[in-house]
Amino acid sequence: QVHLVESGGGLVQAGGSLRLSCAASGRTFSNYPMGWFRQAPGKEREFVAAVSASGGSTYYTDSVKGRFTVSRGNAKNTVYLQMNSLKPEDTAVYYCAKGRPGMVLTTIRSYDVWGQGTQVTVSS
């Protein structure tokens, strides 16, 4: 069973940057895609970004394109989310998730293992 642990969240001023990390247990990390989602208070969990198993393809929701970068280090069993030019509306709990191969990576049902989440707060 894969286990995911996020880190790197915190409080940052608008315009600042944070780098989230998600460490995965298990020896088959490079076999499946990974995604990042976020959930703000009172809102549904939403897709943020995803990366293919090889790292060669990435996907982003429109609101973060040009500001966020998703990447993975398969040798370290880790996926990253570099967040630049942060805005107050980026404030949320951020979750990483293990995707099912061959599924559409922008939907929650395409993921079967979730981390516990890390809080990101952007002050204005």
Side-chain angles (χ1 to χ4, degrees):
Q1 177 71 0
V2 174
H3 184 60
L4 304 174
V5 178
E6 301 99 333
S7 61
L11 173 64
V12 64
Q13 290 188 333
S17 298
L18 283 174
R19 188 194 197 203
L20 305 184
S21 298
C22 173
S25 63
R27 288 180 280 182
T28 60
F29 178 75
S30 60
N31 290 352
Y32 44 82
M34 295 292 294
W36 287 95
F37 286 74
R38 65 186 179 188
Q39 188 166 18
K43 295 188 176 181
E44 294 185 351
R45 191 170 298 189
E46 65 173 358
F47 170 77
V48 176
V51 59
S52 63
S54 68
S57 297
T58 55
Y59 311 87
Y60 300 93
T61 192
D62 286 346
S63 63
V64 308
K65 285 180 181 177
R67 300 189 298 123
F68 290 12
T69 302
V70 61
S71 61
R72 65 191 297 159
N74 285 344
K76 295 184 177 181
N77 279 17
T78 304
V79 62
Y80 306 96
L81 185 67
Q82 177 67 43
M83 305 186 295
N84 299 329
S85 302
L86 282 161
K87 305 175 180 180
E89 51 264 43
D90 294 319
T91 295
V93 177
Y94 283 70
Y95 299 88
C96 70
K98 168 185 167 290
R100 297 185 176 98
M103 301 289 285
V104 174
L105 295 179
T106 57
T107 59
I108 288 177
R109 63 178 177 270
S110 295
Y111 296 83
D112 56 4
V113 179
W114 294 81
Q116 84 288 349
T118 185
Q119 177 70 48
V120 171
T121 303
V122 184
S123 64
S124 57

